[in-house]
Amino acid sequence: MKTSLSKQQDNRKEIELFIGPQHPASGHMRFIGRVDGDIFTNFIPDPGWVHRGIEKIAENRKWIQIIPLVERAAILDAANMNIGYVIALEKLLDIEPPPRAQYLRTLLCEINRITSHLYGFGIAGIMIGSSTFYMWPFADREPLIDIAQLITGARLTYSYMIPGGVRRDLPQGFKEKALKALKYIERRLNNDYFRIFFDNPVTKARYQEVGVLKRDDAIRLGIVGPNLRASNVKYDVRKVEPYAAYPELEFDIAYEKEGDCYARLLVRVEEIRQSIKIIRQILDALPQGPIIHKKYEKLVSLRKLEEYQKTGIFGLPAIFTVLRPPAGEVISRVEAARGELIFHIISTGELRPYRLRMVTPSFRNIVLFRELISGARVMDFPAIYGSIDYFPPESDR
Amino acid sequence: MIIKIINNFYHHIRAILIGLKYLLSPGIRITLKYPDELPILPENYRGMLKLNNELCISCGLCSQICPAGAINLKLFEHEQTKQVGRHPEVDYKRCIFCGFCIDICPSKALELTRIHDAAFYVEDELYYEVNRLIIGPKIDPPCMRSKYVISEIDEVRGIVYRNA
Ligand code: SF4
Ligand code: SF4
């Protein structure tokens, strides 16, 4: 006896639910879930829709040309992607940037961390239906992007760090502008954001005790960044293996105990506060001196040197076009906004790297979808996704 | 239980009030009304390029460093000065505005313009030959009423735009 198609479906207990791939939230990404009633019985993330092959392209680029390339992994966290690669390259070249350059690098990284977290808040807001909290953090990124633009000359793709230092010094009157922007963002964060979103009972109802990640699970799965710290693990590469100017700066690791969606959000709030604290310290204690390693300072033309002394814009020395780091293998670890970023580079002493491996934080956090959403309700999916702050282009690379 | 209800009610009201405050208070807009308002960008903004062919020593470093492969060198003779040299041409379909070429140019022949929002009618116009690169990018104000503004960071309102 034939049964109609709809009848067949009626008999099926579970249905398959596809989410994406057309930009479900923060980027192109597909999820395949099996739904029993209102509960996901199985949930599989299916990444790869924005794969650009950065690792492969890097094998065809000169060392210096990879700087803008790795930034494209996470465009809103460009400075942190940049510093990871440059630190690895400096390890190969065996040079150490001067203190002022270290501080300037840290400054840009922290500005970027704030803008990246604000972006994450916006996405989290719209995913649970708060369009006000989508607009506010996105708009409030603007003052910070503005001050980053003053340092680097670009809004998002800074390409600011080069082996041996940074490309530009701070412009005149930067400190006052930066302090104003920090004050603004601090007030918005501590008053307005809490009133409209974090203390809002709707947010709490959607976020608290949803998507709980236990401490042991977080460690077992190798979760990184704020998601790990929200499960009561105090692990931050800036403290564990300090780089740039972090050893000299005072800040605390933000962490929460609960491990639910709300805790993940609060960790980011606290991280922004810590970043503000770090930027203030940098602005106060910025050491004087050159922004580029002595070795390279001697190599630029006289006309460029004059410009550098006058305006603080350092030209690239011609040697960067034929940079050949000695053969070797290095690993660098930095704390990007979404967690630990690892570069593993193999050099054979050629113009181009033999292999560049880039392990991004979102790539390591992707397993959370499977872990947290299997067993959760369908309506908890946006809440959990928003709280993870997952960024597909960063994961796909 | 009762306390929780009261507490929730209080926080609901607070959320609504802060939303209303920003809805009703005038002049808290952070958005730039582009293109009616055109921003004057900071001095060192990395925009499109301009070439000074008299300074260019035809070294080719700019094309060697370009991460996007946007620069080709072309033999060029200047119409008036009859100066001959191999000068860069820029393909803005590829350029990512990284500014590496400007930074590496040893004679400062390439310079920054603060223009980044030029529009083109034909795809081929995106390819800047040497003579167009010497003139540099030009934009017309997109509409008659557009005016230039300076953005300033403000403690209370984030960013304010002042007429230039
Ligand atoms: S700005 Fe960068 S991408 Fe554009 S032409 Fe110069 S080096 Fe190439
Ligand atoms: S523009 Fe500058 S870098 Fe390019 S060929 Fe001329 S002098 Fe060399």
Side-chain angles (χ1 to χ4, degrees):
Chain A
M1 201 176 73
K2 267 197 224 159
T3 45
S4 68
L5 198 61
S6 60
K7 194 77 188 258
Q8 274 178 9
Q9 277 176 347
D10 282 348
N11 291 340
R12 252 166 64 179
K13 201 160 163 274
E14 292 185 347
I15 56 164
E16 229 167 29
L17 181 69
F18 284 79
I19 302 172
Q22 296 99 339
H23 222 293
S26 51
H28 299 279
M29 170 80 180
R30 184 168 76 170
F31 302 96
I32 306 163
R34 293 194 76 82
V35 190
D36 177 7
D38 190 21
I39 311 272
F40 280 114
T41 53
N42 194 5
F43 195 80
I44 301 167
D46 177 19
W49 299 86
V50 276
H51 175 68
R52 289 143 295 165
I54 286 178
E55 291 179 3
K56 192 69 197 167
I57 296 172
E59 290 167 20
N60 274 316
R61 291 281 185 279
K62 291 177 186 165
W63 292 93
I64 196 84
Q65 294 176 335
I66 297 173
I67 292 173
L69 179 69
V70 290
E71 284 183 347
R72 264 69 187 167
I75 209 88
L76 26 98
D77 196 13
N80 283 307
M81 300 284 137
N82 197 330
I83 196 172
Y85 172 70
V86 172
I87 285 176
L89 186 51
E90 278 169 355
K91 276 186 188 169
L92 273 175
L93 292 165
D94 198 19
I95 50 173
E96 183 83 7
R100 190 175 173 88
Q102 299 277 34
Y103 271 75
L104 291 177
R105 282 178 182 188
T106 317
L107 171 68
L108 191 65
C109 283
E110 291 307 315
I111 293 173
N112 226 191
R113 192 181 311 278
I114 301 178
T115 53
S116 175
H117 282 341
L118 287 178
Y119 174 92
F121 287 161
I123 295 291
I126 191 68
M127 284 190 87
I128 64 163
S130 169
S131 39
T132 311
F133 201 62
Y134 175 44
M135 295 297 170
W136 284 12
F138 267 69
D140 290 340
R141 289 171 71 215
E142 208 60 22
L144 292 160
I145 288 177
D146 241 43
I147 59 171
Q149 178 182 288
L150 283 175
I151 314 176
T152 63
R155 275 172 62 87
L156 291 174
T157 50
Y158 307 120
S159 306
Y160 182 58
M161 297 147 202
I162 49 174
V166 293
R167 283 169 67 187
R168 293 165 173 205
D169 210 335
L170 295 184
Q172 292 277 315
F174 174 82
K175 190 176 170 184
E176 292 76 51
K177 285 180 190 162
L179 287 177
K180 274 186 197 165
L182 290 184
K183 225 176 199 167
Y184 171 74
I185 205 75
E186 208 168 29
R187 179 177 61 80
R188 289 283 277 174
L189 186 75
N190 291 338
N191 300 327
D192 299 353
Y193 286 9
F194 269 88
R195 284 194 193 179
I196 198 115
F197 194 72
F198 299 129
D199 277 346
N200 194 329
V202 180
T203 312
K204 286 192 173 170
R206 292 293 301 275
Y207 272 170
Q208 274 175 341
E209 283 156 51
V210 169
V212 179
L213 178 67
K214 295 206 185 62
R215 188 174 194 271
D216 298 341
D217 287 339
I219 296 170
R220 178 175 57 85
L221 295 166
I223 305 305
V224 290
N227 298 336
L228 175 72
R229 294 193 278 277
S231 300
N232 201 10
V233 186
K234 286 196 213 171
Y235 181 88
D236 190 321
V237 184
R238 291 176 289 172
K239 286 274 188 205
V240 177
E241 217 176 82
Y243 56 94
Y246 289 114
E248 290 141 49
L249 299 167
E250 215 176 285
F251 65 100
D252 303 319
I253 299 178
Y255 74 102
E256 290 287 328
K257 291 211 172 66
E258 285 78 19
D260 56 2
C261 292
Y262 196 61
R264 286 194 278 276
L265 224 59
L266 289 187
V267 166
R268 295 204 173 84
V269 173
E270 185 55 34
E271 276 199 1
I272 293 184
R273 288 188 189 134
Q274 295 297 334
S275 293
I276 292 173
K277 196 171 141 194
I278 293 174
I279 295 174
R280 289 222 169 100
Q281 287 176 48
I282 293 174
L283 291 175
D284 282 340
L286 194 61
Q288 296 297 325
I291 56 164
I292 189 83
H293 195 272
K294 282 198 283 318
K295 190 171 138 192
Y296 295 130
E297 198 180 321
K298 281 186 263 164
L299 289 177
V300 289
S301 67
L302 265 180
R303 201 171 285 185
K304 281 281 178 190
L305 207 59
E306 256 170 38
E307 191 190 18
Y308 168 47
Q309 276 150 5
K310 222 168 60 207
T311 61
I313 296 181
F314 180 73
L316 305 171
I319 194 172
F320 277 0
T321 56
V322 284
L323 204 61
R324 281 175 206 267
E329 201 173 331
V330 287
I331 285 186
S332 78
R333 302 200 300 161
V334 296
E335 182 79 18
R338 291 181 181 76
E340 181 179 355
L341 169 74
I342 303 170
F343 275 97
H344 177 192
I345 300 177
I346 303 176
S347 158
T348 47
E350 291 297 314
L351 271 178
R352 297 167 172 83
Y354 174 76
R355 176 83 170 94
L356 179 141
R357 173 97 176 109
M358 183 181 185
V359 186
T360 48
S362 285
F363 181 69
R364 293 183 56 186
N365 285 338
I366 193 169
V367 63
L368 279 179
F369 284 110
R370 195 171 185 158
E371 194 69 16
L372 296 182
I373 297 179
S374 304
R377 289 188 180 278
V378 173
M379 270 326 286
D380 284 343
F381 163 70
I384 294 173
Y385 188 164
S387 76
I388 294 174
D389 193 12
Y390 174 77
F391 192 51
E394 188 184 85
S395 158
D396 290 350
R397 304 192 290 290
Chain B
M1 187 65 200
I2 288 285
I3 292 172
K4 202 181 166 203
I5 290 173
I6 294 172
N7 196 11
N8 276 356
F9 183 72
Y10 169 68
H11 280 113
H12 274 304
I13 295 293
R14 257 175 35 132
I16 291 167
L17 283 181
I18 190 84
L20 277 178
K21 181 187 150 196
Y22 279 97
L23 178 70
L24 300 177
S25 48
I28 45 138
R29 165 178 65 91
I30 209 167
T31 319
L32 179 74
K33 281 191 175 165
Y34 186 87
D36 286 350
E37 297 171 344
L38 299 171
I40 291 181
L41 294 162
E43 203 70 14
N44 59 3
Y45 187 82
R46 304 200 313 242
M48 294 166 86
L49 314 175
K50 190 167 183 290
L51 174 73
N52 186 341
N53 69 313
E54 278 165 28
L55 289 181
C56 177
I57 53 170
S58 311
C59 63
L61 283 174
C62 50
S63 88
Q64 278 180 44
I65 194 98
C66 180
I71 297 186
N72 293 321
L73 287 196
K74 201 62 169 286
L75 203 61
F76 174 78
E77 188 188 339
H78 197 272
E79 267 175 31
Q80 279 125 40
T81 57
K82 300 287 172 217
Q83 205 187 15
V84 184
R86 291 175 79 80
H87 297 321
E89 295 184 328
V90 177
D91 183 357
Y92 282 114
K93 271 179 285 185
R94 303 191 68 109
C95 177
I96 53 172
F97 299 105
C98 62
F100 276 4
C101 49
I102 299 156
D103 275 7
I104 205 160
C105 178
S107 59
K108 286 175 54 179
L110 281 173
E111 51 183 275
L112 289 169
T113 67
R114 283 178 273 168
I115 296 171
H116 66 101
D117 45 359
F120 303 92
Y121 288 102
V122 193
E123 197 187 344
D124 291 346
E125 281 180 22
L126 279 159
Y127 195 90
Y128 267 63
E129 297 89 8
V130 185
N131 47 8
R132 283 177 72 211
L133 206 60
I134 291 170
I135 300 164
K138 286 251 158 18
I139 50 165
D140 317 319
C143 43
M144 300 301 284
R145 345 180 241 124
S146 47
K147 55 176 192 236
Y148 283 93
V149 292
I150 301 173
S151 67
E152 268 170 31
I153 292 168
D154 190 85
E155 262 169 47
V156 185
R157 286 161 52 187
I159 289 190
V160 286
Y161 301 102
R162 295 197 198 294
N163 288 344

Short mmCIF file of all heavy atoms in Angstrom, two decimals, chain B residues 46-47 49 62 65-71 89-92 94-102 110, ligand 1:
data_model
loop_
_atom_site.label_atom_id
_atom_site.label_comp_id
_atom_site.label_asym_id
_atom_site.label_seq_id
_atom_site.Cartn_x
_atom_site.Cartn_y
_atom_site.Cartn_z
N ARG B 46 45.39 56.23 4.61
CA ARG B 46 45.92 55.49 3.46
C ARG B 46 44.85 55.34 2.39
O ARG B 46 44.03 54.44 2.44
CB ARG B 46 46.41 54.12 3.91
CG ARG B 46 47.43 54.16 5.01
CD ARG B 46 48.23 52.89 5.09
NE ARG B 46 47.44 51.70 5.05
CZ ARG B 46 47.36 50.80 6.03
NH1 ARG B 46 48.03 50.99 7.14
NH2 ARG B 46 46.64 49.73 5.90
N GLY B 47 44.88 56.26 1.44
CA GLY B 47 43.90 56.18 0.36
C GLY B 47 44.57 55.81 -0.95
O GLY B 47 45.53 55.05 -0.98
N LEU B 49 46.62 56.40 -4.62
CA LEU B 49 48.01 56.85 -4.78
C LEU B 49 48.13 57.97 -5.79
O LEU B 49 47.26 58.16 -6.64
CB LEU B 49 48.88 55.68 -5.25
CG LEU B 49 48.69 54.36 -4.54
CD1 LEU B 49 49.52 53.30 -5.20
CD2 LEU B 49 49.08 54.50 -3.09
N CYS B 62 58.32 49.29 -5.56
CA CYS B 62 56.89 49.32 -5.26
C CYS B 62 56.20 48.10 -5.85
O CYS B 62 55.35 47.49 -5.21
CB CYS B 62 56.26 50.61 -5.77
SG CYS B 62 56.66 51.00 -7.46
N ILE B 65 57.09 44.92 -3.75
CA ILE B 65 56.55 44.72 -2.40
C ILE B 65 55.04 44.53 -2.44
O ILE B 65 54.47 43.93 -1.53
CB ILE B 65 56.92 45.90 -1.48
CG1 ILE B 65 56.66 45.58 0.01
CG2 ILE B 65 56.13 47.14 -1.80
CD1 ILE B 65 57.84 45.14 0.74
N CYS B 66 54.38 45.01 -3.46
CA CYS B 66 52.91 45.03 -3.46
C CYS B 66 52.33 43.63 -3.17
O CYS B 66 52.53 42.71 -3.94
CB CYS B 66 52.38 45.53 -4.78
SG CYS B 66 50.60 45.56 -4.82
N PRO B 67 51.62 43.47 -2.07
CA PRO B 67 51.11 42.14 -1.71
C PRO B 67 50.01 41.66 -2.65
O PRO B 67 49.75 40.47 -2.74
CB PRO B 67 50.54 42.33 -0.30
CG PRO B 67 50.86 43.70 0.10
CD PRO B 67 51.23 44.48 -1.09
N ALA B 68 49.35 42.60 -3.33
CA ALA B 68 48.23 42.20 -4.17
C ALA B 68 48.63 42.11 -5.63
O ALA B 68 47.80 41.79 -6.47
CB ALA B 68 47.10 43.21 -4.00
N GLY B 69 49.87 42.40 -5.94
CA GLY B 69 50.29 42.39 -7.34
C GLY B 69 49.56 43.43 -8.17
O GLY B 69 49.20 43.19 -9.31
N ALA B 70 49.34 44.60 -7.57
CA ALA B 70 48.54 45.61 -8.26
C ALA B 70 49.40 46.54 -9.11
O ALA B 70 48.87 47.30 -9.90
CB ALA B 70 47.75 46.42 -7.24
N ILE B 71 50.72 46.51 -8.93
CA ILE B 71 51.56 47.49 -9.61
C ILE B 71 52.35 46.83 -10.74
O ILE B 71 52.98 45.80 -10.54
CB ILE B 71 52.52 48.16 -8.61
CG1 ILE B 71 51.72 48.95 -7.56
CG2 ILE B 71 53.49 49.09 -9.31
CD1 ILE B 71 52.55 49.75 -6.63
N GLU B 89 52.17 51.61 -12.64
CA GLU B 89 50.75 51.74 -12.95
C GLU B 89 49.99 50.94 -11.89
O GLU B 89 50.45 49.87 -11.50
CB GLU B 89 50.43 51.12 -14.30
CG GLU B 89 51.07 51.79 -15.47
CD GLU B 89 50.63 51.16 -16.77
OE1 GLU B 89 50.36 49.95 -16.80
OE2 GLU B 89 50.55 51.88 -17.75
N VAL B 90 48.86 51.44 -11.47
CA VAL B 90 48.16 50.75 -10.38
C VAL B 90 46.81 50.24 -10.85
O VAL B 90 46.05 50.95 -11.50
CB VAL B 90 47.97 51.69 -9.17
CG1 VAL B 90 47.18 51.00 -8.09
CG2 VAL B 90 49.30 52.13 -8.64
N ASP B 91 46.54 48.99 -10.49
CA ASP B 91 45.27 48.37 -10.81
C ASP B 91 44.40 48.39 -9.55
O ASP B 91 44.63 47.60 -8.63
CB ASP B 91 45.51 46.93 -11.27
CG ASP B 91 44.24 46.26 -11.70
OD1 ASP B 91 43.19 46.89 -11.59
OD2 ASP B 91 44.31 45.10 -12.14
N TYR B 92 43.44 49.27 -9.50
CA TYR B 92 42.66 49.39 -8.27
C TYR B 92 41.65 48.25 -8.09
O TYR B 92 40.96 48.20 -7.09
CB TYR B 92 41.94 50.74 -8.21
CG TYR B 92 42.89 51.84 -7.82
CD1 TYR B 92 43.22 52.85 -8.69
CD2 TYR B 92 43.50 51.83 -6.58
CE1 TYR B 92 44.11 53.84 -8.34
CE2 TYR B 92 44.39 52.81 -6.22
CZ TYR B 92 44.70 53.81 -7.11
OH TYR B 92 45.59 54.77 -6.75
N ARG B 94 42.80 45.39 -7.78
CA ARG B 94 43.56 44.51 -6.90
C ARG B 94 44.02 45.20 -5.63
O ARG B 94 44.19 44.57 -4.60
CB ARG B 94 44.79 43.99 -7.64
CG ARG B 94 44.49 43.27 -8.91
CD ARG B 94 45.72 42.59 -9.41
NE ARG B 94 46.10 41.52 -8.52
CZ ARG B 94 45.98 40.23 -8.82
NH1 ARG B 94 45.52 39.88 -9.98
NH2 ARG B 94 46.34 39.31 -7.96
N CYS B 95 44.25 46.49 -5.71
CA CYS B 95 44.89 47.22 -4.59
C CYS B 95 44.09 47.08 -3.30
O CYS B 95 42.86 47.16 -3.31
CB CYS B 95 45.01 48.68 -4.95
SG CYS B 95 45.70 49.69 -3.65
N ILE B 96 44.80 46.84 -2.20
CA ILE B 96 44.12 46.70 -0.92
C ILE B 96 44.42 47.87 0.01
O ILE B 96 44.17 47.81 1.21
CB ILE B 96 44.51 45.37 -0.22
CG1 ILE B 96 46.02 45.27 -0.11
CG2 ILE B 96 43.94 44.19 -0.96
CD1 ILE B 96 46.49 44.10 0.71
N PHE B 97 45.01 48.93 -0.51
CA PHE B 97 45.30 50.14 0.26
C PHE B 97 46.17 49.87 1.48
O PHE B 97 45.89 50.37 2.57
CB PHE B 97 44.01 50.85 0.69
CG PHE B 97 43.17 51.28 -0.47
CD1 PHE B 97 42.03 50.61 -0.83
CD2 PHE B 97 43.54 52.37 -1.22
CE1 PHE B 97 41.27 50.99 -1.92
CE2 PHE B 97 42.79 52.77 -2.31
CZ PHE B 97 41.65 52.08 -2.65
N CYS B 98 47.16 49.02 1.31
CA CYS B 98 48.01 48.71 2.46
C CYS B 98 49.07 49.78 2.64
O CYS B 98 49.63 49.92 3.73
CB CYS B 98 48.66 47.35 2.29
SG CYS B 98 49.75 47.26 0.89
N GLY B 99 49.40 50.51 1.60
CA GLY B 99 50.39 51.57 1.73
C GLY B 99 51.82 51.09 1.74
O GLY B 99 52.72 51.88 1.99
N PHE B 100 52.05 49.83 1.47
CA PHE B 100 53.44 49.34 1.45
C PHE B 100 54.25 50.03 0.37
O PHE B 100 55.42 50.35 0.57
CB PHE B 100 53.45 47.82 1.21
CG PHE B 100 53.25 47.00 2.44
CD1 PHE B 100 53.00 47.60 3.65
CD2 PHE B 100 53.32 45.61 2.39
CE1 PHE B 100 52.81 46.84 4.80
CE2 PHE B 100 53.13 44.84 3.51
CZ PHE B 100 52.87 45.46 4.72
N CYS B 101 53.65 50.25 -0.81
CA CYS B 101 54.40 50.84 -1.92
C CYS B 101 54.87 52.24 -1.56
O CYS B 101 55.98 52.63 -1.88
CB CYS B 101 53.53 50.86 -3.17
SG CYS B 101 51.91 51.55 -2.92
N ILE B 102 53.99 52.98 -0.86
CA ILE B 102 54.36 54.34 -0.47
C ILE B 102 55.50 54.30 0.54
O ILE B 102 56.44 55.09 0.48
CB ILE B 102 53.14 55.05 0.14
CG1 ILE B 102 52.04 55.13 -0.90
CG2 ILE B 102 53.51 56.41 0.65
CD1 ILE B 102 50.68 55.26 -0.33
N LEU B 110 55.93 58.22 -4.70
CA LEU B 110 54.52 57.89 -4.48
C LEU B 110 54.04 58.59 -3.22
O LEU B 110 54.74 58.62 -2.22
CB LEU B 110 54.35 56.38 -4.31
CG LEU B 110 54.37 55.53 -5.58
CD1 LEU B 110 54.37 54.08 -5.19
CD2 LEU B 110 53.18 55.84 -6.45
S1 SF4 C 1 48.63 50.24 -1.55
FE1 SF4 C 1 49.34 48.11 -1.26
S2 SF4 C 1 48.05 46.90 -2.64
FE2 SF4 C 1 47.83 49.04 -3.29
S3 SF4 C 1 49.34 49.30 -4.90
FE3 SF4 C 1 50.34 49.91 -2.99
S4 SF4 C 1 51.37 48.07 -2.23
FE4 SF4 C 1 49.89 47.42 -3.81
#
